[in-house]
Amino acid sequence: MMDIIWTESSIRTYLSIIDYLFEKWTHKEIDRFQHETKLLLRNLSQRNFSCPLSKLSPYRKCLIDYHTSLVYAAEGNKIVLITFLHNKSAHNY
């Protein structure tokens, strides 16, 4: 099992998405996003799943839902979460 490491940026962007969902959506969407994120992290930590490479090596980019993706790096026995991002935003990943 691989350790999941949350960077400062990943914490900040994750909480930003939760805040946005609180403002614009319902608890149902918040629960769904949190569930899908936990499921993805569990699969990554168990090495059952690997996401495609992003535009920037050595990062990988996973689709969490239609609106959101996770960017991470695999470093030895660790999964380092880089950032969560809105799929329609201008980003380098």
Side-chain angles (χ1 to χ4, degrees):
M1 195 157 177
M2 299 179 81
D3 292 328
I4 302 290
I5 309 298
W6 287 74
T7 61
E8 199 171 305
S9 175
S10 66
I11 294 169
R12 182 177 33 80
T13 54
Y14 179 81
L15 292 176
S16 174
I17 291 167
I18 297 295
D19 286 344
Y20 172 79
L21 291 173
F22 267 120
E23 289 177 23
K24 304 289 184 184
W25 296 92
T26 68
H27 285 281
K28 181 180 176 182
E29 284 78 17
I30 295 166
D31 291 343
R32 185 180 309 133
F33 173 72
Q34 289 177 319
H35 173 75
E36 292 299 323
T37 301
K38 286 178 187 177
L39 181 63
L40 173 61
L41 295 179
R42 185 179 68 215
N43 286 337
L44 288 173
S45 73
Q46 295 174 349
R47 300 182 190 180
N48 291 340
F49 188 74
S50 181
C51 298
L53 289 171
S54 80
K55 296 176 197 173
L56 295 176
S57 184
Y59 301 128
R60 294 186 173 271
K61 182 176 159 188
C62 300
L63 186 69
I64 295 173
D65 60 29
Y66 179 77
H67 302 287
T68 313
S69 290
L70 164 67
V71 177
Y72 75 93
E75 298 177 359
N77 265 352
K78 298 177 194 171
I79 299 290
V80 179
L81 307 183
I82 306 301
T83 191
F84 290 82
L85 48 88
H86 190 279
N87 292 328
K88 292 186 179 181
S89 66
H91 58 77
N92 294 328
Y93 301 101

